[in-house]
Amino acid sequence: MAQKIVVTGGAGYIGSHVAVELLSAGRDVLIIDDFSNAHPEALARIKELAPGNLELLERDLANPAHNDDIIAAVKAFGADSAIHLAGLKAVGQSVAEPMLYYRTNIGASLTLIRALDAANAKTIVFSSSATVYGELNDSPVDEAGKTGAANPYGRTKLIIEDMLKDLAAADGAWRVVNLRYFNPVGAHPSGRIGEDPNGVPNNLFPFIAQVAVGRRKKLMVFGDDYPTRDGTGIRDYIHVSDLARGHLAALDYLAGLENGGALDINLGTGAGYSVLEAVAAFKRASNRDVPYEIAPRREGDIAEVYANAKLAQKLLGWRAEKTIDEMCADHWRWQSNNPDGYNTKV
Ligand code: UFG
């Protein structure tokens, strides 16, 4: 029988790529999404890319009025595990509206845990973030690095990680992997699904892509006076399809464990690129100009962070395969074929 996996936030940027990977591997998928930061068209595109058994439950995991429906649906689906990606993720907004972040991200996790418990499906892969390392470590940073988030968004990630660890410690039937993502970029190589941010993009790649396609005039490079090789910030960009494969590898790893437990695993490439290097790679891939201006540093940014990704290789047999040029080429294919994201008229 096919493995049955609940994917919360499955219509979003990372979730849609995870769903395609799971369906392509013959798994059955139930997406729970409230479309607060996702487009229904993404569902149609997932189906187009990967035929298989895909169900949708349009509900808000953080809304107590939806709890009963969610618990019933996870049970009826016959779930045996979940990949938990639903949550809010804008750092600036989390500073302005911290309670919204605690309520939404932690509330959604509590509901999912209740539903999995009721379905006796005690396996969860959680979408955490390298942001949990804050500014406390030199790169490459491994999973034993000190944690301490610098904003409410990051703190919700840490709290949920800890919650899942407490759960696994109390009940040995729970199997948990907290995946600490570095900077996911790129899009499915088909150009059919990709990142479609609401409003002005916060993150570098969607911003560069919108400049290259002519939706925005220029990129602001936040600081060129960091102690890095060209003065701009260095990050570990990882292709979203590599990242999606990492989730499948984590599920397979958990299924093969003799006992339950919880652990943290970095998903990154292990290599860092500066903002200016990313811009240059995107220009090469798109053959478009990407005008930019040096601006002051963005509050809360750090000079450099990239992964030690050896644990994922050792335990999951996974490593990132796609180069920065492939990330840019695929990101550009998505952006140029869908200049207005999922609202693009075809
Ligand atoms: N940058 C610019 N101009 C921009 C946007 C970003 O120069 O318009 C620079 C940043 O200063 C940084 C690099 O590009 O040096 C990457 O910035 P991103 O915003 O793309 O990503 P961050 O590394 O800042 O990570 C942030 C949060 C993470 C979160 C991640 C994904 O800190 O917690 O976005 O949402 F997981």
Side-chain angles (χ1 to χ4, degrees), residues 28 37 56 87 98 109 152 154 204 234 243-244 263 276 284 290 298 300 321 328 343:
D28 294 347
N37 190 21
L56 168 70
S109 305
L204 180 65
I234 289 183
L243 190 81
L263 82 168
L276 294 181
R284 279 198 305 275
V290 179
R298 181 171 65 179
E321 282 165 5
C328 292
N343 282 322

Side-chain angles (χ1 to χ4, degrees), residues 89-91 128-132 151 153-154 157 181-185 195 201-208 219-223 226 232-235 237 273-275 297-298 300-303 305:
K89 65 175 185 80
V91 173
S128 188
S129 167
T131 199
V132 301
N151 54 64
Y153 156 73
K157 292 292 181 193
Y181 309 158
F182 282 68
N183 290 54
V185 300
E195 186 168 14
N202 291 313
N203 300 117
L204 180 65
F205 266 68
F207 207 107
I208 292 180
L219 170 75
M220 296 304 207
V221 173
F222 297 141
Y226 286 106
T232 65
I234 289 183
R235 296 290 182 275
Y237 298 100
Y273 289 90
S274 74
V275 175
R297 291 181 178 190
R298 181 171 65 179
D301 273 355
I302 57 180
V305 57

